[in-house]
Amino acid sequence: MVDRPNKPMALATTPGLPPQAQVNITHNNSRVSAVLPTGESVEVLLYGATLISWKDRAGSERLWLSEGAKLDGSKAVRGGIPLVFPVFGTAPEHKAAGNLPQHGFARTSKWEFLGKSTSESQGKNESSVKLDFGLSAATIDDETKKLWPYNFSLIYSVSLTPTTLSPASRSPTMDIAQVSVTGLDEAEYIDKVDGAKAKKQSGTVSITGETDRVYTPAKGPSEPVVVSEGGRTVYSVVRDNLEDVVVWNPWTDKAQGMADFEPKDGYKNMICIEAGAVKGWQKLEKGDTFEGAQTISV
């Protein structure tokens, strides 16, 4: 079990109190869903603590999820919001992480649901909900322990309000040709499609082919990274203690080569914006903690 102080308990409905978020565990205890009184909702797969759905009050989906995504725990989910730990990509030269699979093991491990907490904004009559999930050295499987024989404990929180989601985003769009990303001007980045060359962004980012870049925004995590479509803001992403931003779209050939990427022309309707600590390692002394977050506003 993940040791967490003040672990939230399920909240019962009390007559006379304002409506609160409803949280349910479904699909044979493999998913956790939450619905706000105003109708917004999220759904988290305990396999990988992967957020597979974020809907607005009208029921419209805000996350891209491949139609071929495996939701049965057989492999990492294609789409939604994955959680990457302890390595982004692979690190074959790194002594501790050299044998780990692509993007580590957090996205392919079974997480615990630790509970929920809810609140209501003063004077706004708006509810919010926070779902907490845990993974530790005691709960990973034996094969993973062989690959990562270190003591660790992770707490992952997903918070939902009527207008924001924390922490992350893969953004659905209607037409990738109309999409632009701002907030990355003057940012240094690594272009993984062009031999991992170091480059510098000039102006807005548009997607015209396979894109796989690791940006370090020049103005820091608090500067919003904004995804727009046809000049209309779709999402605004603000990070906390996460210096890097990955921008990814597989385009035609890569999409064709991914068995779980469906439909094959789905690259026209998605862009991946991922916040993280990607370019370098975070060094922690014994007993230290690292905390990072991001908030997506619509």
Side-chain angles (χ1 to χ4, degrees), residues 62 171-173 178 180 182 224-237 296-298:
R62 294 192 176 278
S171 311
T173 63
Q178 299 296 315
S180 62
T182 57
V225 175
V226 178
V227 179
S228 300
E229 180 185 5
R232 180 182 64 86
T233 297
V234 181
Y235 296 105
S236 176
V237 183
I296 314 304
S297 301
V298 295

Short mmCIF file of all heavy atoms in Angstrom, two decimals, residues 62 171-173 178 180 182 224-237 296-298:
data_model
loop_
_atom_site.label_atom_id
_atom_site.label_comp_id
_atom_site.label_asym_id
_atom_site.label_seq_id
_atom_site.Cartn_x
_atom_site.Cartn_y
_atom_site.Cartn_z
N ARG A 62 -13.02 15.72 -24.68
CA ARG A 62 -11.93 16.67 -24.85
C ARG A 62 -10.57 15.99 -25.04
O ARG A 62 -9.58 16.67 -25.30
CB ARG A 62 -11.86 17.62 -23.65
CG ARG A 62 -13.07 18.54 -23.54
CD ARG A 62 -12.82 19.63 -22.53
NE ARG A 62 -13.92 20.57 -22.46
CZ ARG A 62 -14.11 21.57 -23.29
NH1 ARG A 62 -13.27 21.76 -24.29
NH2 ARG A 62 -15.14 22.39 -23.14
N SER A 171 -4.78 16.61 -26.97
CA SER A 171 -5.90 17.46 -27.35
C SER A 171 -6.56 17.03 -28.65
O SER A 171 -5.89 16.89 -29.67
CB SER A 171 -5.41 18.90 -27.53
OG SER A 171 -4.64 19.31 -26.44
N PRO A 172 -7.88 16.79 -28.63
CA PRO A 172 -8.57 16.47 -29.87
C PRO A 172 -8.85 17.73 -30.66
O PRO A 172 -9.19 18.76 -30.11
CB PRO A 172 -9.88 15.83 -29.39
CG PRO A 172 -10.14 16.49 -28.09
CD PRO A 172 -8.80 16.82 -27.49
N THR A 173 -8.71 17.67 -31.98
CA THR A 173 -9.01 18.82 -32.83
C THR A 173 -9.79 18.34 -34.03
O THR A 173 -9.83 17.15 -34.34
CB THR A 173 -7.73 19.52 -33.29
OG1 THR A 173 -6.99 18.61 -34.09
CG2 THR A 173 -6.88 20.00 -32.12
N GLN A 178 -5.35 23.41 -39.18
CA GLN A 178 -5.78 24.69 -38.61
C GLN A 178 -5.22 24.92 -37.21
O GLN A 178 -5.52 25.93 -36.58
CB GLN A 178 -7.31 24.75 -38.56
CG GLN A 178 -7.99 24.64 -39.90
CD GLN A 178 -7.64 25.81 -40.80
OE1 GLN A 178 -7.64 26.96 -40.36
NE2 GLN A 178 -7.33 25.52 -42.06
N SER A 180 -2.48 25.65 -34.25
CA SER A 180 -1.22 26.33 -33.95
C SER A 180 -0.98 26.29 -32.45
O SER A 180 -1.91 26.19 -31.66
CB SER A 180 -1.26 27.79 -34.44
OG SER A 180 -2.27 28.51 -33.76
N THR A 182 1.12 28.32 -29.43
CA THR A 182 1.88 29.50 -29.04
C THR A 182 2.41 29.33 -27.62
O THR A 182 2.01 28.44 -26.89
CB THR A 182 1.02 30.77 -29.12
OG1 THR A 182 -0.15 30.59 -28.29
CG2 THR A 182 0.56 31.03 -30.54
N PRO A 224 1.79 30.28 -20.20
CA PRO A 224 0.87 29.32 -20.83
C PRO A 224 1.35 28.86 -22.21
O PRO A 224 1.89 29.66 -22.99
CB PRO A 224 -0.44 30.11 -20.95
CG PRO A 224 -0.33 31.21 -19.94
CD PRO A 224 1.12 31.56 -19.89
N VAL A 225 1.18 27.59 -22.48
CA VAL A 225 1.33 27.05 -23.83
C VAL A 225 -0.10 26.87 -24.35
O VAL A 225 -0.89 26.13 -23.76
CB VAL A 225 2.08 25.71 -23.81
CG1 VAL A 225 2.12 25.10 -25.21
CG2 VAL A 225 3.49 25.91 -23.28
N VAL A 226 -0.41 27.58 -25.43
CA VAL A 226 -1.80 27.66 -25.89
C VAL A 226 -1.97 26.93 -27.22
O VAL A 226 -1.23 27.17 -28.18
CB VAL A 226 -2.23 29.14 -26.05
CG1 VAL A 226 -3.66 29.23 -26.58
CG2 VAL A 226 -2.10 29.87 -24.71
N VAL A 227 -2.95 26.02 -27.25
CA VAL A 227 -3.31 25.31 -28.47
C VAL A 227 -4.55 25.97 -29.05
O VAL A 227 -5.58 26.08 -28.38
CB VAL A 227 -3.59 23.82 -28.18
CG1 VAL A 227 -3.99 23.09 -29.46
CG2 VAL A 227 -2.37 23.16 -27.54
N SER A 228 -4.44 26.41 -30.31
CA SER A 228 -5.56 27.08 -30.98
C SER A 228 -5.91 26.34 -32.26
O SER A 228 -5.06 25.67 -32.86
CB SER A 228 -5.21 28.54 -31.31
OG SER A 228 -4.90 29.26 -30.15
N GLU A 229 -7.15 26.47 -32.67
CA GLU A 229 -7.60 25.90 -33.93
C GLU A 229 -8.36 26.97 -34.70
O GLU A 229 -9.36 27.51 -34.21
CB GLU A 229 -8.51 24.69 -33.69
CG GLU A 229 -9.00 24.06 -34.99
CD GLU A 229 -9.99 22.94 -34.75
OE1 GLU A 229 -10.37 22.72 -33.59
OE2 GLU A 229 -10.40 22.30 -35.73
N GLY A 230 -7.86 27.31 -35.88
CA GLY A 230 -8.49 28.35 -36.67
C GLY A 230 -8.56 29.68 -35.96
O GLY A 230 -9.51 30.44 -36.14
N GLY A 231 -7.56 29.96 -35.12
CA GLY A 231 -7.53 31.22 -34.39
C GLY A 231 -8.30 31.21 -33.09
O GLY A 231 -8.24 32.19 -32.33
N ARG A 232 -8.99 30.11 -32.77
CA ARG A 232 -9.77 30.03 -31.54
C ARG A 232 -9.03 29.18 -30.52
O ARG A 232 -8.58 28.07 -30.82
CB ARG A 232 -11.13 29.39 -31.84
CG ARG A 232 -12.04 29.24 -30.60
CD ARG A 232 -13.34 28.55 -30.99
NE ARG A 232 -13.12 27.19 -31.45
CZ ARG A 232 -13.05 26.13 -30.65
NH1 ARG A 232 -13.17 26.28 -29.34
NH2 ARG A 232 -12.86 24.92 -31.16
N THR A 233 -8.87 29.71 -29.31
CA THR A 233 -8.17 28.97 -28.26
C THR A 233 -8.94 27.72 -27.87
O THR A 233 -10.13 27.78 -27.56
CB THR A 233 -7.96 29.85 -27.02
OG1 THR A 233 -7.12 30.95 -27.36
CG2 THR A 233 -7.29 29.06 -25.90
N VAL A 234 -8.26 26.58 -27.90
CA VAL A 234 -8.85 25.31 -27.50
C VAL A 234 -8.43 24.96 -26.07
O VAL A 234 -9.26 24.60 -25.24
CB VAL A 234 -8.44 24.17 -28.46
CG1 VAL A 234 -9.09 22.86 -28.04
CG2 VAL A 234 -8.83 24.52 -29.89
N TYR A 235 -7.12 25.07 -25.79
CA TYR A 235 -6.60 24.76 -24.46
C TYR A 235 -5.48 25.73 -24.11
O TYR A 235 -4.76 26.21 -24.99
CB TYR A 235 -6.00 23.34 -24.38
CG TYR A 235 -6.98 22.24 -24.60
CD1 TYR A 235 -7.01 21.55 -25.80
CD2 TYR A 235 -7.87 21.87 -23.60
CE1 TYR A 235 -7.90 20.52 -26.01
CE2 TYR A 235 -8.76 20.84 -23.80
CZ TYR A 235 -8.78 20.17 -25.00
OH TYR A 235 -9.66 19.15 -25.21
N SER A 236 -5.35 25.98 -22.82
CA SER A 236 -4.20 26.71 -22.29
C SER A 236 -3.57 25.85 -21.21
O SER A 236 -4.25 25.42 -20.28
CB SER A 236 -4.64 28.06 -21.71
OG SER A 236 -3.54 28.73 -21.13
N VAL A 237 -2.28 25.58 -21.36
CA VAL A 237 -1.58 24.67 -20.46
C VAL A 237 -0.55 25.45 -19.64
O VAL A 237 0.34 26.08 -20.21
CB VAL A 237 -0.86 23.56 -21.25
CG1 VAL A 237 -0.21 22.56 -20.30
CG2 VAL A 237 -1.83 22.85 -22.19
N ILE A 296 -4.83 22.37 -17.25
CA ILE A 296 -5.35 22.62 -18.58
C ILE A 296 -6.66 23.41 -18.44
O ILE A 296 -7.59 22.96 -17.78
CB ILE A 296 -5.66 21.30 -19.32
CG1 ILE A 296 -4.52 20.31 -19.17
CG2 ILE A 296 -5.97 21.57 -20.78
CD1 ILE A 296 -3.19 20.80 -19.61
N SER A 297 -6.71 24.59 -19.05
CA SER A 297 -7.92 25.41 -19.00
C SER A 297 -8.57 25.44 -20.38
O SER A 297 -7.89 25.39 -21.42
CB SER A 297 -7.57 26.85 -18.57
OG SER A 297 -6.96 26.85 -17.30
N VAL A 298 -9.89 25.51 -20.39
CA VAL A 298 -10.62 25.57 -21.66
C VAL A 298 -11.45 26.84 -21.71
O VAL A 298 -11.69 27.47 -20.69
CB VAL A 298 -11.55 24.35 -21.82
CG1 VAL A 298 -10.73 23.09 -21.91
CG2 VAL A 298 -12.54 24.25 -20.67
#
